[in-house]
Amino acid sequence: MGQINLTQVTKSFGDVNVIPPLDLNINDGEFTVFVGPSGCGKSTLLRLIAGLEDITSGKIEIDGQDATELPPAKRGLAMVFQSYALYPHMSVRKNIAFPMKMAGMDEAEQKKRIEAAAKALNLTDHLDRRPRQSL
């Protein structure tokens, strides 16, 4: 992934302003977390960035390209939903690799990214287990 820039991004549902004007810059290699109470707009913001929801106004750039009107499949992003679904017949490693494999990423890059994600999430020792296997 590269850089994500939001410029004056807003989202309203009718008269309800869910995301007030927001400027946000996430640089390559940064790990960003959105924290707040239920209903404050965290998931909506992620859906805007991923292209799963249209913004009301503003601009979204990904790696310097205007992605405001790009469909989700063209943004080169992935997102894990709060209610996620894992393939129970696949190992943790294969579940992480699946979207990269579908995108045609070469295996060496997949391995590099899987190892980095596992390390960041403290999952390295669990990569070869299946989702329902006990720790």
Side-chain angles (χ1 to χ4, degrees):
M1 188 179 91
Q3 187 174 25
I4 298 173
N5 295 310
L6 279 61
T7 306
Q8 292 295 293
V9 168
T10 67
K11 178 63 182 177
S12 299
F13 294 103
D15 293 335
V16 180
N17 190 18
V18 179
I19 305 288
L22 174 67
D23 291 325
L24 174 68
N25 297 309
I26 303 171
N27 294 311
D28 188 25
E30 287 185 338
F31 191 84
T32 303
V33 178
F34 301 117
V35 180
S38 180
C40 74
K42 301 178 300 290
S43 294
T44 299
L45 178 58
L46 290 172
R47 291 175 60 79
L48 294 173
I49 294 169
L52 301 173
E53 188 77 51
D54 292 331
I55 66 172
T56 302
S57 64
K59 183 177 180 182
I60 297 174
E61 289 184 350
I62 300 172
D63 287 335
Q65 178 186 4
D66 187 352
T68 308
E69 301 296 327
L70 280 180
K74 301 274 187 190
R75 294 186 184 211
L77 301 174
M79 168 174 170
V80 178
F81 294 91
Q82 191 169 1
S83 298
Y84 57 88
L86 296 173
Y87 296 105
H89 64 286
M90 292 184 190
S91 66
V92 172
R93 180 185 314 277
K94 288 182 179 177
N95 268 283
I96 296 171
F98 186 74
M100 294 183 278
K101 184 177 179 179
M102 292 295 99
M105 184 182 293
D106 71 84
E107 288 188 31
E109 183 64 18
Q110 287 180 41
K111 182 177 180 179
K112 179 181 157 189
R113 290 186 183 200
I114 290 166
E115 295 297 326
K119 183 177 179 183
L121 298 169
N122 200 25
L123 289 175
T124 304
D125 295 337
H126 308 289
L127 283 174
D128 295 314
R129 295 182 181 178
R130 291 190 177 170
R132 293 207 188 271
Q133 253 179 302
S134 62
L135 303 175

